[in-house]
Amino acid sequence: MIESKELKYWLAWNKVKTIGPIRFYKLIKNFNSLEEAWNKAHKPDEIIRVLGIGRNAWDKIRQEKEKINPEEELNILQKSNINTITILEKDYPVMLKNIYNPPPIIYYKGDLISSLHQKKGFAIVGSRKSTYYGRKVAREIAAELSSYGFVIVSGLARGIDTNAHLGSLDSDGETIAVLGCSVDRIYPPENNKLANQIMENGAIISEFPLNTQPEKSNFPRRNRIISGLTIGTLVVEAAERSGALITADFALEQGRDVFAIPGNIHSFQSKGCHNLIKQGAKLVNCAQDILEEFTDASELFQSKFTKKENGQYLVELNENEKKLLKHISIEPLHIDELAELANIPYNEFNEVLLMLELKNLIKEIEGKRYIRIK
């Protein structure tokens, strides 16, 4: 766990809007601590070089930075009883860690750790302007998947998202709501009661600093987290242009499975789902159509990634996994060194690394370094 002395600088840098995940990781990589990076603002040449920006961009960052007090950010967080987890901590969700530009820090209320490490996440998303049919289907499938041990992940929005969370709660399952605002500002406000129920059976989470309003530009960022936390995404209802389809696109980019519910051919709320099915998403009539993709939910990754021979499981590796594994030994190597040695395309590298972790061949130790364990 990161100590308060350093955490306050994570909070402070995360509040600088012009510092997105890419720039944040440059600061982590090039300075001994974020405190050091913060305090070098009066001599900005090194920060400008590290971030690869010009003076005008630095002036914008500096102006934002001057309005932020790291100590005050930490005090507000503690008074709000809000938890955080950073990407450098071992309990940071492994599925999320391996997407492109994962959030450096997550704010949460509830029991995020047990929800994401003891079970596997599955996303259910769809239209805010949902039909009765869509809401009923989302709730029923969420309830059944929860009964098989999945953590249902959605966005707390009106319509399909709300019913996905409710379905999980119907089965006394765990559910996670990913917000497009900060966790101290529930949106939509009518879901306040639902948010409290979710916190008792999972968590509400966000990458946005406290006091962040639900701005339109926040929701695509939220959607990449929904898909990033999960092994698959089900789209229940979606128009041709829908935020749910953005989540599905992120899922495909992240190498996760995509599923869709068919609907009335005359309904505009079904057009997005029908297009997904045309493009290769699996058509879903019931929860069993999803479960059969993962064989036995209790042995999700074992069944998906291994085969059994003479009573023993033998791990199967593709060419990229073999290529990366040969560079990993009992001597720790940083993720950046591994990426350079393996020479695997960047958009594929994180997925390969994740697969080797899931197959229990390697593990991450402190400082984003990896060692071989088999």
Side-chain angles (χ1 to χ4, degrees):
M1 184 174 181
I2 287 188
E3 294 182 3
S4 296
K5 183 182 177 183
E6 176 68 1
L7 177 60
K8 63 186 178 184
Y9 293 100
W10 283 74
L11 300 172
W13 277 116
N14 198 53
K15 195 163 184 177
V16 180
K17 288 187 177 181
T18 44
I19 296 287
I22 293 177
R23 288 176 175 173
F24 205 108
Y25 290 124
K26 287 180 178 179
L27 294 174
I28 294 171
K29 182 180 176 182
N30 290 278
F31 291 96
N32 293 322
S33 68
L34 290 182
E35 178 184 8
E36 179 190 1
W38 188 267
N39 291 332
K40 286 203 172 184
H42 62 287
K43 294 181 179 179
D45 288 351
E46 187 174 357
I47 294 183
I48 290 172
R49 177 187 59 77
V50 164
L51 296 181
I53 58 176
R55 285 281 172 180
N56 288 340
W58 167 250
D59 285 341
K60 290 180 182 178
I61 292 172
R62 179 183 52 76
Q63 288 167 15
E64 284 189 81
K65 207 172 151 292
E66 287 174 352
K67 299 174 184 177
I68 299 168
N69 181 330
E71 192 68 43
E72 185 179 325
E73 293 303 312
L74 182 62
N75 288 338
I76 293 171
L77 183 82
Q78 292 172 338
K79 288 177 183 177
S80 303
N81 293 318
I82 292 169
N83 300 304
T84 61
I85 187 167
T86 71
I87 198 163
L88 296 186
E89 295 174 74
K90 64 181 180 65
D91 286 326
Y92 187 97
V94 65
M95 295 287 287
L96 186 61
K97 184 181 292 186
N98 287 280
I99 70 170
Y100 178 70
N101 283 346
I105 184 169
I106 297 172
Y107 304 78
Y108 69 96
K109 281 187 170 184
D111 192 7
L112 171 77
I113 307 306
S114 65
S115 298
L116 293 177
H117 283 268
Q118 295 176 7
K119 300 179 181 180
K120 305 305 173 188
F122 190 87
I124 298 180
V125 296
S127 176
R128 289 173 172 81
K129 299 176 181 179
S130 56
T131 65
Y132 170 78
Y133 161 78
R135 294 191 295 273
K136 183 173 184 289
V137 167
R139 191 160 182 165
E140 289 175 348
I141 290 180
E144 188 163 355
L145 291 178
S146 286
S147 71
Y148 278 86
F150 286 91
V151 177
I152 300 302
V153 180
S154 198
L156 199 66
R158 299 178 180 99
I160 300 302
D161 291 20
T162 291
N163 282 274
H165 294 303
L166 287 171
S168 179
L169 295 173
D170 289 343
S171 288
D172 294 321
E174 291 180 305
T175 182
I176 291 173
V178 186
L179 307 185
C181 54
S182 52
V183 295
D184 58 338
R185 297 190 175 275
I186 300 302
Y187 182 82
E190 63 264 30
N191 274 349
N192 257 302
K193 181 179 177 182
L194 175 58
N196 288 328
Q197 291 176 296
I198 290 171
M199 284 184 261
E200 294 174 4
N201 295 272
I204 60 169
I205 77 172
S206 176
E207 70 175 314
F208 298 107
L210 302 188
N211 202 31
T212 298
Q213 300 294 331
E215 298 170 1
K216 187 176 180 179
S217 61
N218 293 348
F219 289 94
R221 290 179 61 179
R222 174 205 66 172
N223 293 346
R224 90 188 193 288
I225 297 176
I226 292 174
S227 59
L229 286 168
T230 59
I231 61 172
T233 294
L234 171 66
V235 181
V236 177
E237 284 186 326
E240 282 188 290
R241 293 183 179 180
S242 165
L245 299 183
I246 295 174
T247 308
D249 286 341
F250 278 124
L252 290 171
E253 288 175 12
Q254 294 160 356
R256 317 293 164 84
D257 293 319
V258 175
F259 304 82
I261 298 288
N264 187 327
I265 62 171
H266 299 296
S267 170
F268 75 95
Q269 293 292 19
S270 297
K271 288 186 177 180
C273 291
H274 292 164
N275 287 338
L276 283 176
I277 292 167
K278 287 178 184 178
Q279 294 163 20
K282 178 162 183 177
L283 186 153
V284 171
N285 287 314
C286 60
Q288 192 60 41
D289 292 332
I290 296 169
L291 291 169
E292 69 183 21
E293 289 296 303
F294 307 114
T295 311
D296 178 11
S298 66
E299 295 182 344
L300 216 46
F301 291 105
Q302 187 71 76
S303 63
K304 190 171 184 181
F305 299 128
T306 64
K307 63 180 181 179
K308 206 168 187 180
E309 186 175 296
N310 298 325
Q312 298 295 318
Y313 278 106
L314 303 176
V315 177
E316 295 181 313
L317 301 177
N318 62 32
E319 288 306 309
N320 275 342
E321 289 165 356
K322 293 175 184 175
K323 191 175 178 182
L324 178 55
L325 188 60
K326 74 178 184 180
H327 295 292
I328 305 175
S329 68
I330 59 172
E331 290 295 324
L333 272 180
H334 191 271
I335 187 172
D336 292 337
E337 294 179 80
L338 287 173
E340 186 174 348
L341 288 168
N343 195 28
I344 295 171
Y346 186 78
N347 62 337
E348 298 176 25
F349 175 78
N350 284 334
E351 183 182 348
V352 175
L353 196 66
L354 171 62
M355 292 303 102
L356 291 178
E357 280 192 281
L358 294 175
K359 294 174 184 181
N360 202 30
L361 295 173
I362 66 172
K363 72 174 182 179
E364 182 183 4
I365 60 174
E366 187 178 357
K368 299 189 79 173
R369 296 179 300 160
Y370 290 80
I371 60 172
R372 189 163 179 166
I373 55 179
K374 282 189 180 179

